[in-house]
């Protein structure tokens, strides 16, 4: 036995899960960090603008008060709270604010210069600036506004250090809280992530075990999982197609996957039930003519050998039932090919009016017992499969023939606009009960089994017509009243109009 067959797949599920959890955890922390960074930046900008507005407002009020004090008494400086204004010999160095910002500030002196400064000495001590700690240096920061008024240079100083120290304390507290949040999420974040990824981990583990067991089966070994796999496979049968995956509301990331799988199971279940019903109905339809044929064969075997009349009756009945079986099988094959998408449309351009004339002419030769009225508005040129479309219209007319008394009128209308083409088949027949209208296009459906048996037909004609019309992008409109008649209209969209 080759070495390849003995290879065992390593158990990497836990390792892969841990790696994925770590990756998702880091991504979550990165998003938190980015969010905190943006919030902190926004707080700093808003705080700076609010502080600047407060300083500028106070400086404006103080400068107005100082000008009044100069006029009343000889003074060169004035101190009020954190503000100080004084007269200086020359304009100090500084920076100018853009006019767009300056126009929106309370201090609107043109040519005013602003600057930041740090006092070189503490007033009550002789300690040098370089010997101070950072927090003490922050407390010495001053915000200065220098401006010229009446040929005099004024300078407003604001002790910004107190505000900066207060803001720095609050900012450090905010950073500490954010750090605690990050640490807490780092510690707790992996648990909900692991819980959310548990179904995927179980899927991965199951796939690993299946792959491992298949390798063992190829090597001829009988691993411990074969029976488990067989049990799982045997449990997936028609009796459990209605099972669904439970959707955990806490696992939002997996909801779409669960819903998609559930919808797929619903479609599979519906298709399976449809197939079961189709096979059951087909068996029922075939059983009846087979029983008739078998009965006449027994009749021939007993009395028909020497009775010419009995022999002819049996042969005619067998021929009739054989034709019915042939028609049923052909219809079943058509629908089967349609379901498998193996029927190709050979589209061509033709006038519907000519096709209706042809169908009506052939029908009158076969069935002269009904009156046919044709209302055609030429032209009605479409692009479609002529043979299939002829088959669909013939099915509608044949249904009208079966359920319309002899001598009554059957009307066929054709009309086309720029957007749609309408083909209508209307009769004065027995009509369809309102409660059955929604089901008339179902396979093997008959509203009246006893009457359907007399008129013939398998109940597949309208299903075939529906398939043909829908493949051309069209649809049906049905109007029917019992004992009054039925009107079926085929509507083709603008895409089929030439």
């Amino acid at each position: 036995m080759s070495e390849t067959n003995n290879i065992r797949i390593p158990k990497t599920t836990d390792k892969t899960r841990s790696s994925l959890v770590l990756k998702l955890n880091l991504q979550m922390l990165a998003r938190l960090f980015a969010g905190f960074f943006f919030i902190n930046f926004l707080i700093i900008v808003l705080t700076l603008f609010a502080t600047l507005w407060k300083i500028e407002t106070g400086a404006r009020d103080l400068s107005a008060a100082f000008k009044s004090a100069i006029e009343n008494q000889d003074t060169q400086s004035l101190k009020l709270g954190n503000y100080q204004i004084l007269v200086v010999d020359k304009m100090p160095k500084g920076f100018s604010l853009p006019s767009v910002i300056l126009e929106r500030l309370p201090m609107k002196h043109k040519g005013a210069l602003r600057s930041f400064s740090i006092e070189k000495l503490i007033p009550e001590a002789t300690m040098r600036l370089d010997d101070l700690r950072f927090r003490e240096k922050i407390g010495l920061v001053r915000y200065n506004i220098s401006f010229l008024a009446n040929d005099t240079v004024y300078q407003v100083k604001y002790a910004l250090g107190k505000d900066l120290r207060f803001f720095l304390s609050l900012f450090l507290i905010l950073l500490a809280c954010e750090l605690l949040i990050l640490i807490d999420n780092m510690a707790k974040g992996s648990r909900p992530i692991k819980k959310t990824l548990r179904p995927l981990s179980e899927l991965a583990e199951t796939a690993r075990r299946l792959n491992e067991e298949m390798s063992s089966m190829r090597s001829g070994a009988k691993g411990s999982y074969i029976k488990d796999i067989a049990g799982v496979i045997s449990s997936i049968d028609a009796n459990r197609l209605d099972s669904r995956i439970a959707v955990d509301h806490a696992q939002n990331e997996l909801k779409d996957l669960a819903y998609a799988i559930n919808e797929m199971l619903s479609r599979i279940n519906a298709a399976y039930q449809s197939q079961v019903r189709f096979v059951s109905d087909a068996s029922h339809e075939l059983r009846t003519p087979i029983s008739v044929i078998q009965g006449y064969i027994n009749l021939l075997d007993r009395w028909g050998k020497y009775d010419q009349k009995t022999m002819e009756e049996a042969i005619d009945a067998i021929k009739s039932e054989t034709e019915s079986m042939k028609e049923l099988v052909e219809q079943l094959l058509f629908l089967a090919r349609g379901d498998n998408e193996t029927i190709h449309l050979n589209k061509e351009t033709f006038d519907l009016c000519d096709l209706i004339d042809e169908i009506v002419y052939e029908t009158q030769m076969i069935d002269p017992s009904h009156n046919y009225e044709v209302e055609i508005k030429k032209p009605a040129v479409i692009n479609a499969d002529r043979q299939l479309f002829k088959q669909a219209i013939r099915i509608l007319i044949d249904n009208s023939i079966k359920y319309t008394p002899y001598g009554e009128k059957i009307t066929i209308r054709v009309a086309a606009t720029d957007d749609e083409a309408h083909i209508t088949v209307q009769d004065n027949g027995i009509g369809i009960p309102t409660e059955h209208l929604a089901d008339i296009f179902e396979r093997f459906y008959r509203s009246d089994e006893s009457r359907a048996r007399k008129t013939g037909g398998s109940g597949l004609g309208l299903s075939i017509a529906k398939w043909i019309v829908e493949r051309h992008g069209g649809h049906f409109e049905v109007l029917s009243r019992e004992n009054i008649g039925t009107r079926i209209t085929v509507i083709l969209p603008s895409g089929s109009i030439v």
Side-chain angles (χ1 to χ4, degrees):
M1 190 177 296
S2 66
E3 294 181 0
T4 304
N5 291 334
N6 291 326
I7 293 176
R8 305 288 287 182
I9 299 175
K11 296 184 178 181
T12 59
T13 304
D14 293 337
K15 183 178 179 181
T16 303
R17 181 174 62 185
S18 300
S19 175
L20 186 57
V21 169
L22 178 61
K23 183 178 179 181
L24 292 175
N25 210 356
L26 291 176
Q27 289 179 353
M28 180 185 66
L29 292 176
R31 288 194 294 269
L32 276 176
F33 182 81
F36 288 154
F37 178 81
F38 175 76
I39 292 173
N40 294 341
F41 176 77
L42 189 62
I43 290 174
I44 292 173
V45 171
L46 291 177
T47 303
L48 289 178
F49 273 106
T51 304
L52 178 63
W53 183 269
K54 184 190 76 170
I55 295 172
E56 294 280 338
T57 302
R60 179 196 61 189
D61 298 339
L62 183 62
S63 61
F66 185 64
K67 290 178 183 178
S68 299
I70 290 177
E71 294 175 357
N72 298 328
Q73 57 183 343
D74 186 13
T75 179
Q76 295 296 313
S77 66
L78 177 65
K79 189 172 183 181
L80 183 64
N82 292 333
Y83 291 92
Q84 181 183 9
I85 186 169
L86 63 155
V87 178
V88 295
D89 297 332
K90 60 179 181 179
M91 181 70 73
K93 293 181 180 179
F95 58 87
S96 300
L97 293 176
S99 58
V100 177
I101 299 177
L102 187 62
E103 291 174 356
R104 289 167 173 76
L105 290 177
M107 284 285 290
K108 293 182 170 59
H109 288 281
K110 293 183 179 180
L113 298 179
R114 289 160 174 82
S115 63
F116 294 94
S117 63
I118 300 178
E119 300 220 350
K120 295 182 180 179
L121 292 173
I122 301 177
E124 63 272 13
T126 58
M127 186 179 294
R128 303 297 299 177
L129 186 63
D130 295 339
D131 298 330
L132 299 176
R133 290 178 298 179
F134 176 75
R135 184 176 176 83
E136 294 173 338
K137 290 181 181 180
I138 289 292
L140 301 177
V141 175
R142 299 289 185 268
Y143 177 71
N144 308 313
I145 304 175
S146 304
F147 59 92
L148 181 64
N150 298 326
D151 297 328
T152 303
V153 179
Y154 299 93
Q155 186 178 47
V156 179
K157 293 185 176 183
Y158 177 77
L160 185 61
K162 294 181 180 179
D163 294 337
L164 288 178
R165 282 194 295 188
F166 177 74
F167 173 72
L168 182 60
S169 300
L170 290 180
F171 190 68
L172 289 175
I173 293 173
L174 178 62
L175 287 179
C177 293
E178 292 173 351
L179 182 61
L180 290 176
I181 293 174
L182 287 174
I183 294 173
D184 182 65
N185 277 274
M186 187 181 300
K188 297 180 179 179
S190 59
R191 286 199 294 271
I193 292 175
K194 287 180 179 179
K195 183 179 178 182
T196 302
L197 292 178
R198 188 177 297 120
L200 293 180
S201 301
E202 293 173 356
L203 273 175
E205 177 63 19
T206 302
R208 184 195 66 77
R209 293 176 58 187
L210 286 171
N211 203 351
E212 186 179 43
E213 188 56 34
M214 291 303 104
S215 299
S216 299
M217 291 174 67
R218 286 195 298 269
S219 65
K222 295 184 178 179
S224 60
Y225 302 130
I226 293 180
K227 293 183 179 180
D228 294 337
I229 296 172
V232 171
I233 293 176
S234 64
S235 68
I236 304 174
D237 56 17
N239 296 325
R240 299 191 62 186
L241 282 177
D242 57 347
S243 301
R244 297 294 179 269
I245 296 175
V247 179
D248 187 353
H249 295 288
Q251 300 176 358
N252 294 326
E253 294 82 357
L254 299 179
K255 277 186 179 180
D256 292 340
L257 177 60
Y259 284 136
I261 294 175
N262 286 340
E263 288 176 2
M264 179 189 69
L265 289 173
S266 298
R267 290 194 297 270
I268 293 174
N269 189 31
Y272 178 78
Q273 296 301 328
S274 176
Q275 183 183 31
V276 170
R277 186 171 62 252
F278 184 80
V279 172
S280 175
D281 291 339
S283 301
H284 175 74
E285 293 296 326
L286 288 172
R287 182 176 58 189
T288 301
I290 290 175
S291 299
V292 172
I293 292 173
Q294 186 177 12
Y296 275 103
I297 289 176
N298 292 334
L299 181 64
L300 284 174
D301 185 47
R302 291 184 180 183
W303 298 289
K305 297 177 182 178
Y306 308 104
D307 189 338
Q308 184 68 25
K309 183 178 179 181
T310 301
M311 182 181 296
E312 291 178 357
E313 179 186 350
I315 291 174
D316 290 340
I318 291 173
K319 287 175 61 179
S320 175
E321 294 299 328
T322 304
E323 288 296 325
S324 298
M325 289 178 62
K326 177 183 176 184
E327 180 183 359
L328 175 61
V329 171
E330 288 176 349
Q331 291 176 335
L332 288 172
L333 288 175
F334 181 94
L335 290 172
R337 289 197 300 268
D339 291 340
N340 295 330
E341 300 293 338
T342 57
I343 297 179
H344 302 288
L345 301 182
N346 298 316
K347 290 188 176 182
E348 58 182 292
T349 302
F350 61 92
D351 193 337
L352 261 177
C353 301
D354 296 337
L355 178 64
I356 296 299
D357 285 337
E358 178 183 328
I359 295 174
V360 171
Y361 176 76
E362 294 172 353
T363 304
Q364 286 175 331
M365 293 195 328
I366 300 172
D367 175 50
S369 60
H370 290 89
N371 298 322
Y372 295 92
E373 182 177 311
V374 180
E375 299 176 7
I376 292 176
K377 295 181 180 179
K378 292 188 176 184
V381 181
I382 65 170
N383 183 259
D385 189 310
R386 182 183 175 91
Q387 292 303 318
L388 287 180
F389 218 80
K390 182 177 181 179
Q391 181 179 355
I393 302 301
R394 188 182 291 282
I395 289 171
L396 300 181
I397 296 177
D398 286 345
N399 270 7
S400 293
I401 292 173
K402 291 174 184 177
Y403 299 105
T404 301
Y406 293 158
E408 293 292 335
K409 181 175 66 173
I410 297 175
T411 305
I412 300 97
R413 300 186 186 92
V414 178
T417 64
D418 293 336
D419 299 325
E420 294 177 335
H422 291 205
I423 307 100
T424 301
V425 178
Q426 181 174 340
D427 60 58
N428 298 327
I430 62 175
I432 304 170
T434 304
E435 62 271 18
H436 295 303
L437 281 177
D439 302 318
I440 62 173
F441 293 102
E442 295 293 327
R443 298 177 184 182
F444 295 109
Y445 180 80
R446 297 187 185 94
S447 60
D448 189 336
E449 286 290 340
S450 59
R451 185 173 290 169
R453 180 59 57 191
K454 294 177 182 178
T455 57
S458 60
L460 293 175
L462 287 179
S463 299
I464 294 174
K466 180 174 180 286
W467 187 93
I468 295 172
V469 171
E470 287 183 347
R471 287 306 177 278
H472 287 83
H475 64 278
F476 287 90
E477 287 185 358
V478 182
L479 178 63
S480 184
R481 295 290 183 272
E482 287 189 84
N483 301 318
I484 296 177
T486 302
R487 184 181 72 195
I488 299 182
T489 302
V490 177
I491 300 176
L492 291 178
S494 57
S496 302
I497 309 300
V498 178

